[in-house]
Amino acid sequence: MKCAYHDDREAVAVCVSCGAGLCPDCRTREGGKYYCDECAKTHEPIRVWPERAGGGLNVWSVCAWVLAMVGLWPGLEFLAIAGLVLGFVALGDIKARGYTQTGRAYAIAAVVIALTGLVVKFGLMFYSLYDVFQMSPWLNPFRYVQ
Ligand SMILES: [Zn+2]
Ligand SMILES: [Zn+2]
């Protein structure tokens, strides 16, 4: 990183307020923190965080949503199950971060979509099995109880 005011000098500090790189001549130390000349005048509170904690969209929730949607496709039930699990992971992750991230709606949608898809599919599967039992007397377990 170069000094924001001298293109030919390496920055040795970063203004805690605006994030500008500062060479030894440009940095102003106040209260244990480095400011650029501009920010030292106003003592503007920190405007940029080099590493922002939390914030943004939760990645897990989006992944879960995508998996749940793709998992609706017949034969891709394992993706729906993965989306369901990942949805709960996302909810836990967002909770662990103190709800600083968005994407909770995606996680909830993923859980609902995945669950609905699985219930419908297993319902259909059971229904078709029931049909098979009805058509083939040899496979029908209900004949023993009649
Ligand atoms: Zn500054
Ligand atoms: Zn400089």
Side-chain angles (χ1 to χ4, degrees):
M1 194 187 211
K2 298 283 183 195
C3 172
Y5 303 97
H6 303 92
D7 285 339
D8 54 335
R9 293 199 209 165
E10 278 300 317
V12 294
V14 173
C15 172
V16 293
S17 184
C18 66
L22 304 167
C23 72
D25 288 341
C26 298
R27 66 182 174 180
T28 310
R29 194 188 167 102
E30 299 206 23
K33 297 186 177 75
Y34 288 110
Y35 293 88
C36 65
D37 280 347
E38 279 305 303
C39 298
K41 282 180 212 154
T42 57
H43 279 135
E44 188 104 1
I46 296 167
R47 274 181 281 159
V48 291
W49 282 264
E51 47 208 295
R52 276 181 73 185
L57 188 64
N58 188 278
V59 183
W60 295 115
S61 59
V62 180
C63 291
W65 185 75
V66 171
L67 282 174
M69 291 298 281
V70 177
L72 288 176
W73 197 259
L76 296 176
E77 286 79 14
F78 62 97
L79 287 181
I81 294 168
L84 182 66
V85 173
L86 214 55
F88 283 115
V89 169
L91 286 176
D93 190 36
I94 292 170
K95 192 179 178 187
R97 291 165 192 264
Y99 299 107
T100 51
Q101 287 187 322
T102 54
R104 206 153 165 264
Y106 276 108
I108 293 167
V111 170
V112 171
I113 291 166
L115 264 183
T116 310
L118 288 171
V119 166
V120 167
K121 276 180 190 175
F122 280 115
L124 284 174
M125 198 187 287
F126 187 79
Y127 189 75
S128 60
L129 277 178
Y130 189 78
D131 252 14
V132 169
F133 289 151
Q134 293 291 311
M135 284 191 300
S136 162
W138 296 104
L139 282 171
N140 188 357
F142 299 107
R143 72 195 153 111
Y144 299 112
V145 291
Q146 269 167 8

